[in-house]
Amino acid sequence: MTRVRRLTVLGAAAALAGSLVAVPAAAGSTAPVRPAAADRDRATTTPEKTPVAVGHGGAVSSVDPDASAAGISVLRKGGNAVDAAVATAAALGVTEPYSAGIGGGGYFVSYDARTRTVRTLDGRETAPRSAGKDLFLEHATPIPFDDAVTSGLSVGTPGTAATWDTALRKWGSRSLRQVLRPAQRLAADGFTVDQTFRQQTADNEARYRDFPATARLYLPGDKLPVVGSTMRNPDLARTYRELAAKGAGALYDGALAREIVRTVRKPPVRAGSPRTIRPGDLTTGDLRAYRVLSQAPTRTGYRGLDVYGMAPSSSGGTSVAEALNILERSDLSRLSEKQYLHRYIEAARITFADRGRWVGDPAQEDVPTKGLTSQRFADARACLIRDDKALTSPLAPGDPRHPERCGTGGRAAPTTYEGENTTHLTVADKWGNVVAYTLTIEQTGGSGIVVPHRGFLLNNELTDFSFAPAGASVRFASKGSERSKDGTKRSDPNLPGPGKRPRSSMSPTIVLRHGRPVVALGSPGGATIITTVLQTLVNHLDRGMPLVDAIAAPRASQRNAARTELEPGLWNSPVRGQLEAIGHAFKENPEIGAATGVQRLPDGRWLAAAEKVRRGGGAARVVHRS
């Protein structure tokens, strides 16, 4: 799907001067609107969309040119990387509303140049405190997945607004009011509808029509938005103004909080809808109790570098670390494409077997993070890889608490479905600070439910939980405890629980050499996020590809499944047959992930890189090109 902004609001002043633009109004009508006076301080050219940019003063890379321009505008006014990351994310809540927004959550990884340290925020959504492991069971049977998605039952307590507030208070230099201004104007004045936005709307049209507030916003005039028209969201502009004036706490306590809870508990469904919409059990107490977690990142050494990621509740940091540790003993730079892909695929297969067994919310599960990221465990698992024969999935997990050479035990846990339309942004500033931030509302369009008169969709993040146990309890020769922290016997660490965070694959990653940034990156893509980040790192660090080419290279994704997914560039390549000859099985996937990254060049300049083609290409920008 192409993503071409024919006209973008952050640079609209010159392009629109004296002209009229057809803009669907909030109620679905179309009215001619002149550019707002607020455009006077904006750039005079349309924000360009380019996959790579090099220069000084800082860099921003995201999927969207308006969002990247919002971040650059904050950097140009003296803001730091944290300020710019929040501004970019808020703008993505306008232009990428089916992927992210204040109705969702995410993970924020930040490098501080002064202290040369990496710190993280877990802004993942949480289940209601009333939730039990039977959250998605009816009569002891899992409810249909699609029914769970489009419901109040799937909505977790949003963490995004609290993440922005916490990041700015801890590490930012600007107020929430200041960094929300570009996104607030963008929501009020509108952005240009492209083919991707129209197609995503069309894919969700049937369920959007069942919620009047959603239909009014995203089906203007009761029709799909037209490519080239301007989509405004005055309700979201007002919500952003309220957060700017009252602080992010307004989403967690007060009128807005009550409106979110009412929407979840009594989803506003159109009269006569044949759809069964289950209510959720979110309460105002759940919102008031929500906390963003400050925690240490995961870390592993790789070829003289330090690779930092997001610790559980995300599985991204532990999984990328384990896979890199498995690959550490191979000189991937000298291998043929077949040999390199074989070992990369097998490392991912092994990692996902261990992820499924061990990773959940550490507040309620005993997650052996240190063991999963240890070289000792990786070496014990790497011995499973043979050069002449592929492993068979589902592969049983190993035990990171008691590593045994080639040891496996118990039953493999299936990889739970995670929606692919997350979004990621990467930012750096002139002082050398870096942010890698992945945020989401889960599936494309989240739950499908817009909070009436508030202009944002609610997440369906709780469907990232396992609906039912994966199988019998795993036993490892009576070593250690197989119980969660509440003492309950568990065979799956990702079952629902009260106030629990569902496991995620989001993998914002920052790589340092001697305490200084080398590269930072991340991607959307559900469970394929882990393999996208891993393969991009290997392409860049081992195979010597420039960052933009490492991102653009065709991808393979193995997640302990019977078949590895291949993008067309590999599916149509001779290497597929070479790998099939040693036992690999494949299926085609037209598009895996949509990465963005920044790189610190030896001369001190920043390189921003994004996709060349995926999702219509990304938007990489620097403050001053050189």
Side-chain angles (χ1 to χ4, degrees), residues 9 49 57 63 112 124 143 165 177 219 281 349 486 530:
V9 170
K49 190 167 192 177
V63 72
D112 179 72
R124 184 67 159 157
I143 65 176
D165 180 67
R177 179 192 297 270
L219 298 170
D281 198 32
R349 189 194 312 271
D486 65 3
I530 291 168

Side-chain angles (χ1 to χ4, degrees), residues 74 87 173-182 244:
V74 170
S173 67
R174 298 291 185 268
S175 67
L176 183 63
R177 179 192 297 270
Q178 290 172 305
V179 300
L180 283 181
R181 281 174 185 159

Side-chain angles (χ1 to χ4, degrees), residues 3 28 124 129 288 380 409 422 452 514 566:
R3 181 181 267 303
R124 184 67 159 157
R129 290 174 295 177
R288 285 194 300 269
T422 299
H514 306 308
L566 295 183

Side-chain angles (χ1 to χ4, degrees), residues 20 87 114 122 143 245 291 325 535 562 567 606:
L20 296 177
R114 183 180 62 82
D122 181 332
I143 65 176
R291 297 292 182 272
N325 288 339
Q535 191 172 5
E567 288 189 322
W606 288 108

Side-chain angles (χ1 to χ4, degrees), residues 16 39 103 136 162 176 181 212 234 263 290 363 407 512 518 578 584:
L16 295 182
D39 276 340
F136 292 110
L176 183 63
R181 281 174 185 159
T263 303
Y290 183 82
L512 306 182
V518 173
Q578 296 168 13
H584 287 279

Side-chain angles (χ1 to χ4, degrees), residues 354-565:
D354 299 329
R355 164 195 184 267
R357 170 60 190 92
W358 296 106
V359 182
D361 182 350
Q364 299 188 27
E365 306 290 339
D366 289 317
V367 182
T369 300
K370 185 175 180 180
L372 287 167
T373 58
S374 71
Q375 191 64 51
R376 180 186 174 204
F377 179 56
D379 289 345
R381 299 290 277 157
C383 73
L384 294 168
I385 300 175
R386 292 175 48 180
D387 286 337
D388 61 344
K389 185 178 180 180
L391 292 165
T392 301
S393 290
L395 183 71
D399 188 349
R401 305 164 305 174
H402 308 284
E404 296 179 0
R405 181 173 173 78
C406 298
T408 58
R411 294 180 58 178
T415 297
T416 52
Y417 176 80
E418 297 174 47
E420 296 184 356
N421 281 84
T422 299
T423 195
H424 177 83
L425 61 98
T426 321
V427 180
D429 64 28
K430 63 183 178 182
W431 298 283
N433 304 303
V434 179
V435 171
Y437 181 24
T438 313
L439 61 160
T440 186
I441 59 171
E442 221 296 272
Q443 190 163 305
T444 307
S447 65
I449 306 172
V450 164
V451 180
H453 311 297
R454 290 298 188 171
F456 64 90
L457 285 154
L458 292 171
N459 69 83
N460 66 292
E461 216 66 62
L462 301 188
T463 58
D464 277 357
F465 282 123
S466 302
F467 281 26
S473 294
V474 180
R475 293 179 172 82
F476 288 93
S478 300
K479 293 178 181 178
S481 170
E482 293 300 328
R483 296 183 182 275
S484 62
K485 290 185 177 180
D486 65 3
T488 305
K489 190 103 171 182
R490 293 276 176 87
S491 61
D492 187 333
N494 193 42
L495 290 170
K500 191 175 183 180
R501 285 164 155 82
R503 182 175 61 211
S504 170
S505 295
M506 289 184 276
S507 307
T509 302
I510 296 178
V511 180
L512 306 182
R513 178 185 286 113
H514 306 308
R516 297 184 183 276
V518 173
V519 67
L521 73 156
S523 176
T528 69
I529 292 172
I530 291 168
T531 57
T532 294
V533 169
L534 173 63
Q535 191 172 5
T536 304
L537 286 172
V538 170
N539 284 342
H540 181 58
L541 301 177
D542 289 292
R543 307 289 283 179
M545 293 183 186
L547 183 58
V548 69
D549 294 333
I551 288 171
R555 294 184 181 132
S557 183
Q558 168 54 238
R559 305 186 299 282
N560 200 21
R563 294 188 291 171
T564 300
E565 295 178 11

